[in-house]
Amino acid sequence: MNIILLGPQGSGKGTQAEMLVKKYGMNYVEMGNILRSIAASDNQYAGVVKKTIDKGDMVEDEYVRLIAWDHINKQDKEKGFLFDGYPRSLPQYEHLQDMLRKFGKKIDRLIYLNISQEESVRRLSARRICKKCGEIYNLITNPPVTAGECDKCKGELIQREDDQPEAIRHRLQLFSERTEPILERARQENILMEINGERPIEQIYEEIVSRIWTR
Ligand code: AMP
């Protein structure tokens, strides 16, 4: 089973992805994380990728295609994939379909976690990340035990550069311009599963699991 998990920033994709990967044991491709680790490496494209991410822009489709290919190609395709934050534009969606076709596979489901723009801004503004281990917190829904300190490794909690208000607005605009057209395509292809993301984590998870094998 090959699944795409999509949703506006702060929709809880990452949380659901982790739970689904644990349950179904598929390969997990989290594009935001892959790109952030490239930005922090000595890769020749690190500088440009970091700048793009910090501004809340999207990394170029062609570069994302190469990265995705590299990741998919190395994995056991029979285990299936869960794609998180990828594809994020219609060209990326078509690239992914082409890639999977080469392995005799297809996209089986696109799960769309829907939350309003206001909710997205509210959640992202409250998001904090551990500088040391990357653990994610939310000051409203999932605060650390000690303010400003990671529960797991005691690292310092910081706000991501692209979680600043201006970058958030820009990312949301890109989501509606570039990512939403994928939803229409998936609807036409009869693989779209839309989920109300403004509910407790467990409820969302249960709905996904109960509907995943049906349309
Ligand atoms: P995320 O952690 O999913 O919010 O992604 C963080 C940032 O990585 C995004 O704001 C983009 O700059 C970049 N990024 C992640 N996934 C993609 C993608 N599929 N295409 C282009 N840029 C991406």
Side-chain angles (χ1 to χ4, degrees), residues 14 28-36 82-86 136:
Y28 182 32
V29 179
E30 188 192 359
M31 191 54 79
N33 236 7
I34 295 170
L35 291 170
R36 271 191 295 277
L82 185 99
F83 299 102
D84 170 357
Y86 167 82
I136 295 169

Side-chain angles (χ1 to χ4, degrees), residues 129-185:
I129 180 165
C130 174
K131 205 172 166 181
K132 218 161 122 193
C133 74
E135 185 73 7
I136 295 169
Y137 296 86
N138 186 293
L139 300 185
I140 304 163
T141 53
N142 175 31
V145 175
T146 310
E149 190 180 281
C150 178
D151 295 349
K152 286 197 172 159
C153 75
K154 305 282 172 216
E156 182 194 353
L157 299 187
I158 56 164
Q159 198 166 18
R160 264 166 52 173
E161 198 65 44
D162 58 344
D163 282 346
Q164 310 288 338
E166 199 170 317
I168 294 176
R169 270 193 297 277
H170 185 50
R171 288 161 73 201
L172 286 171
Q173 188 191 346
L174 282 177
F175 184 84
S176 71
E177 282 172 15
R178 307 234 12 229
T179 310
E180 277 182 2
I182 298 179
L183 301 179
E184 197 38 51
R185 178 70 61 86

Side-chain angles (χ1 to χ4, degrees), residues 46-102:
V48 58
V49 171
K50 179 168 186 335
K51 245 191 217 151
T52 309
I53 293 177
D54 284 352
K55 275 200 301 194
D57 270 338
M58 275 176 60
V59 174
E60 277 193 27
D61 284 344
E62 187 52 26
Y63 186 61
V64 171
R65 184 174 73 86
L66 297 175
I67 307 273
W69 170 256
D70 197 43
H71 273 258
I72 294 171
N73 209 16
K74 278 191 214 144
Q75 312 292 335
D76 174 2
K77 283 81 172 172
E78 297 311 315
K79 276 171 64 181
F81 289 90
L82 185 99
F83 299 102
D84 170 357
Y86 167 82
R88 249 173 160 111
S89 67
L90 218 39
Q92 288 184 18
Y93 182 79
E94 288 168 356
H95 289 153
L96 177 61
Q97 282 182 319
D98 288 345
M99 272 186 248
L100 291 174
R101 210 171 289 130
K102 287 200 176 82

